Amino acid sequence: MTGSGTGPATRAAFVAIGANLGDACRAVEDAIAALDNITASSVAARSSLYRSAPVDAKGPDFINAVVELKTALEPLALLEQLQAIEQRAGRERPYRNAPRTLDLDLLDMEGVALDTQRLTLPHPRMNQRAFVLLPLAEIAPERVSADQLQAVAGQQIERL
């Protein structure tokens, strides 16, 4: 990992992981391993796995997790790496909220506020989703308030 004075400085980035097709648990675990292999990045923390019902969609339950990366990459470069991991996992986008082999969402990046057509940080819907907030609270409790957790308390989710 860089950031020890010999390379570019790193910052924390939080990535939500979800899958609901095929062996979803294996897909999430494989994604965590792939995230740890991104250039100039390493996994600093990972949540437990969670099972959640699809939100605004149909299909099997999702397996979810959140990972904290330490990365020297800029936001769009990291997004490209995330999308490459999705593609290697067979991700298809036939329609909005379709079931998926793997979904990686860049939730937030330390010190970055961004609003472009390609990427918005922090993620605009992260505070509406229990499958993001519960795993995020597990690894970074200072980033999730009791009020945010209360707002999603009615959503079906189970820690595995």
Side-chain angles (χ1 to χ4, degrees):
M1 183 67 211
T2 59
S4 60
T6 59
T10 63
R11 69 179 117 210
F14 293 88
V15 178
I17 307 167
N20 73 336
L21 292 177
D23 186 345
C25 286
R26 172 61 35 217
V28 171
E29 292 291 349
D30 289 349
I32 293 169
L35 289 168
D36 201 39
N37 288 319
I38 293 175
T39 301
S41 304
S42 66
V43 172
R46 60 160 288 175
S47 73
S48 302
L49 298 183
Y50 290 77
R51 180 184 326 275
S52 66
V55 175
D56 299 328
K58 300 214 184 292
D61 284 352
F62 275 87
I63 301 300
N64 302 100
V66 171
V67 167
E68 177 186 356
L69 289 179
K70 294 295 185 190
T71 185
L73 296 177
E74 291 301 316
L76 291 175
L78 180 56
L79 179 64
E80 288 173 9
Q81 293 296 313
L82 299 181
Q83 290 174 340
I85 293 168
E86 288 178 337
Q87 290 304 308
R88 288 194 299 273
R91 170 76 189 262
E92 295 179 358
R93 298 172 190 266
Y95 55 91
R96 182 170 164 75
N97 296 328
R100 55 205 72 164
T101 54
L102 184 63
D103 185 30
L104 300 174
D105 285 332
L106 184 53
L107 299 173
D108 202 1
M109 203 164 189
E110 183 180 18
V112 175
L114 192 63
D115 188 3
T116 69
Q117 190 153 357
R118 190 150 178 235
L119 180 62
T120 300
L121 291 175
H123 191 290
R125 292 175 303 284
M126 67 183 273
N127 294 326
Q128 302 166 7
R129 297 172 170 173
F131 65 81
V132 169
L133 292 178
L134 268 67
L136 180 60
E138 182 184 333
I139 63 170
E142 71 284 356
R143 292 184 160 269
V144 182
S145 72
D147 287 344
Q148 289 171 310
L149 292 173
Q150 182 60 38
V152 298
Q155 295 177 23
Q156 181 184 342
I157 187 166
E158 168 192 13
R159 185 174 171 179
L160 301 181

